């Protein structure tokens, strides 16, 4: 297998480093996002205690009886708030649902007028107040880390450092807590059924807190699946389709999946908490002029982030 460039970078080198450290961080991040679309990030601002409390409350939520979880399922919200039950979501172009259930928390708008149709309230789980507190705190922390990473990306693209700020402050970002449930009878499931089918993320960037078990794999340029394992409490960060469109494929939204565990471990759960950093629906995803030239002609139609999100939610089965 060819060498895969997924570097481990220290976020404080950008947020609090010397000029040399900041410049090196920008180049390392840009190079990895140009080649593989993935990095792992240390010193991201989330304490070990906060991550542990998050996973503890996530496990408690999904361990509740089905009838309690279903109280928080609102199909009319297309999975964008609250609980989404097993068998609802699939990868684009797949006909087989993923082997998972999940919870989504969205933005809490501050200092701007907004429509409840665009930003519904986040349901509070009355049975687990610690779940509400942990997901709210993690949302804020990952949003802050994501904004700093977007500043580094803007610098790499030779844009003003704050280019993304007006789009992502009060943007449509989502925190998702996922339970890949035990596969009690492996022989009874479809051969195509996996925990998360091969897909690309919809958003600008995704920040993933290290999962409770292995399984995440990225598709390399050589069309080989490469496992990603974050060190300790590092987070994994990858490019989403919106950023790929904006940069006319300069930054890569790489295909990835979550495979089923070995047969002897299929009876165990896997938990994962990604943060999908989305801009406001009105942001244009038209490719930047600086990313278009004779060798790289414009590859995409002009879309807004809202139009693209709507299209993709329909493709993955969350919106009818």
């Amino acid at each position: 297998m060819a060498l895969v460039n997924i570097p481990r970078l220290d976020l404080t080198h950008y947020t609090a480093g010397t000029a040399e450290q900041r410049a090196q961080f920008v180049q390392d991040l840009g190079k990895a996002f140009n080649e593989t679309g993935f990095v792992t990030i240390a010193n991201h601002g989330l304490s070990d205690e906060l991550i542990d409390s998050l996973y503890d409350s996530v496990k408690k939520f999904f361990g509740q009886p089905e009838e309690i979880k279903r109280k928080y399922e609102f199909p009319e919200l297309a999975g964008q708030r609250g609980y989404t039950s097993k068998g609802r979501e699939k990868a684009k172009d797949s006909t087989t649902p993923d082997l998972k259930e999940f919870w989504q928390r969205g933005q809490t708008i501050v200092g701007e007028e907004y429509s409840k149709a665009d930003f519904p309230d986040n349901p509070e789980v009355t049975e687990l107040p610690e779940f509400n507190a942990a997901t709210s705190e993690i949302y804020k922390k990952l949003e802050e880390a994501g904004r700093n990473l977007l500043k580094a990306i803007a610098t790499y693209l030779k844009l003003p450092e704050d280019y993304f700020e007006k789009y992502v402050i009060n943007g449509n970002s989502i925190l998702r807590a996922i339970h890949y449930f035990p596969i009690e009878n492996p022989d009874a499931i479809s051969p195509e059924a996996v925990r998360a089918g091969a897909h690309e993320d919809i958003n600008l960037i995704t920040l993933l807190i290290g999962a409770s078990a292995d399984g995440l794999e990225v598709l390399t340029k050589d069309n080989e699946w490469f496992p990603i394992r974050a060190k300790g409490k590092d987070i994994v960060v990858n490019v989403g389709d919106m950023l790929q469109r904006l940069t006319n494929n300069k930054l890569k939204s790489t295909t990835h999946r979550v495979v089923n565990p070995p047969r002897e471990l299929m009876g165990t759960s896997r938990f994962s908490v990604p943060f999908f950093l989305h801009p406001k629906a009105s942001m244009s995803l038209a490719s930047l002029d600086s990313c278009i030239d004779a060798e790289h002609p414009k590859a995409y139609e002009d879309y807004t982030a809202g139009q693209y999100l709507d299209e993709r939610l329909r493709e993955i089965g969350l919106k009818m």
Side-chain angles (χ1 to χ4, degrees):
M1 178 178 288
L3 182 66
V4 177
N5 178 29
I6 304 177
R8 181 175 188 251
L9 305 179
D10 184 332
L11 185 55
T12 60
H13 286 181
Y14 183 77
T15 59
T18 64
E20 291 77 14
Q21 286 175 319
R22 283 170 60 85
Q24 190 63 55
F25 182 95
V26 166
Q27 289 308 306
D28 290 344
L29 183 72
K31 185 173 188 290
F33 281 172
N34 180 259
E35 293 178 2
T36 60
F38 275 79
V39 298
T40 65
I41 297 288
N43 294 321
H44 39 66
L46 282 68
S47 69
D48 290 357
E49 293 76 21
L50 179 58
I51 293 173
D52 289 341
S53 69
L54 170 73
Y55 272 107
D56 182 60
S57 65
V58 165
K59 290 172 185 176
K60 286 178 181 175
F61 173 77
F62 288 113
Q64 295 180 115
E66 204 70 21
E67 62 269 20
I68 291 180
K69 291 184 287 187
R70 291 276 184 146
K71 286 196 316 183
Y72 301 104
E73 184 162 30
F74 309 101
E76 69 276 13
L77 299 182
Q80 298 307 287
R81 299 291 187 276
Y83 176 66
T84 297
S85 53
K86 301 170 185 176
R88 285 287 314 281
E89 187 177 65
K90 62 182 182 62
K92 178 185 174 183
D93 300 326
S94 173
T95 57
T96 306
D98 291 343
L99 301 175
K100 69 188 180 194
E101 56 182 340
F102 58 89
W103 175 277
Q104 292 207 155
R105 181 181 190 92
Q107 184 68 264
T108 300
I109 300 293
V110 177
E112 291 182 19
E113 292 191 8
Y114 66 98
S115 163
K116 286 287 182 74
D118 296 328
F119 291 94
D121 292 336
N122 285 298
E124 297 283 298
V125 180
T126 55
E127 296 82 359
L128 285 172
E130 66 269 30
F131 176 77
N132 306 319
T135 53
S136 175
E137 182 67 12
I138 288 283
Y139 188 107
K140 294 172 188 171
K141 294 282 189 183
L142 288 177
E143 185 175 46
E144 181 180 357
R147 284 170 58 192
N148 281 319
L149 287 164
L150 285 175
K151 289 178 180 179
I153 291 167
T155 303
Y156 176 74
L157 295 170
K158 295 182 170 50
L159 298 168
E161 185 185 46
D162 287 345
Y163 177 84
F164 290 100
E165 285 282 273
K166 62 181 177 292
Y167 302 119
V168 297
I169 293 174
N170 286 337
N172 203 19
S173 296
I174 290 290
L175 180 76
R176 173 182 281 197
I178 309 172
H179 176 215
Y180 299 101
F181 47 81
I183 304 168
E184 304 290 0
N185 186 358
D187 295 326
I189 64 171
S190 164
E192 286 79 40
V194 293
R195 286 185 154 172
H199 66 284
E200 300 80 44
D201 291 343
I202 300 170
N203 41 289
L204 290 171
I205 57 173
T206 300
L207 295 83
L208 171 69
I209 301 173
S212 65
D214 292 337
L216 177 62
E217 297 182 344
V218 59
L219 189 64
T220 70
K221 289 180 178 179
D222 298 325
N223 214 35
E224 296 177 308
W225 289 103
F226 182 85
I228 296 182
R229 296 183 178 92
K231 181 178 177 181
K233 298 288 175 62
D234 288 358
I235 60 175
V236 177
V237 181
N238 64 276
V239 174
D241 283 354
M242 289 185 182
L243 188 56
Q244 177 173 266
R245 290 179 78 98
L246 185 70
T247 63
N248 199 41
N249 296 328
K250 180 179 178 70
L251 304 184
K252 303 292 190 294
S253 178
T254 304
T255 303
H256 52 288
R257 66 184 184 181
V258 179
V259 296
N260 296 337
R263 195 176 181 92
E264 65 272 15
L265 295 177
M266 282 192 174
T268 61
S269 288
R270 181 183 190 268
F271 298 91
S272 176
V273 183
F275 179 78
F276 302 114
L277 201 158
H278 281 265
K280 294 177 177 178
S282 58
M283 180 184 178
S284 172
L285 300 180
S287 297
L288 298 165
D289 290 342
S290 59
C291 296
I292 301 169
D293 57 30
E295 288 184 32
H296 307 93
K298 187 175 178 180
Y300 301 103
E301 295 178 50
D302 293 353
Y303 269 49
T304 64
Q307 288 173 316
Y308 188 65
L309 176 62
D310 184 77
E311 178 182 285
R312 289 294 302 277
L313 289 177
R314 295 178 193 280
E315 288 173 342
I316 64 177
L318 290 180
K319 197 169 187 176
M320 299 302 154

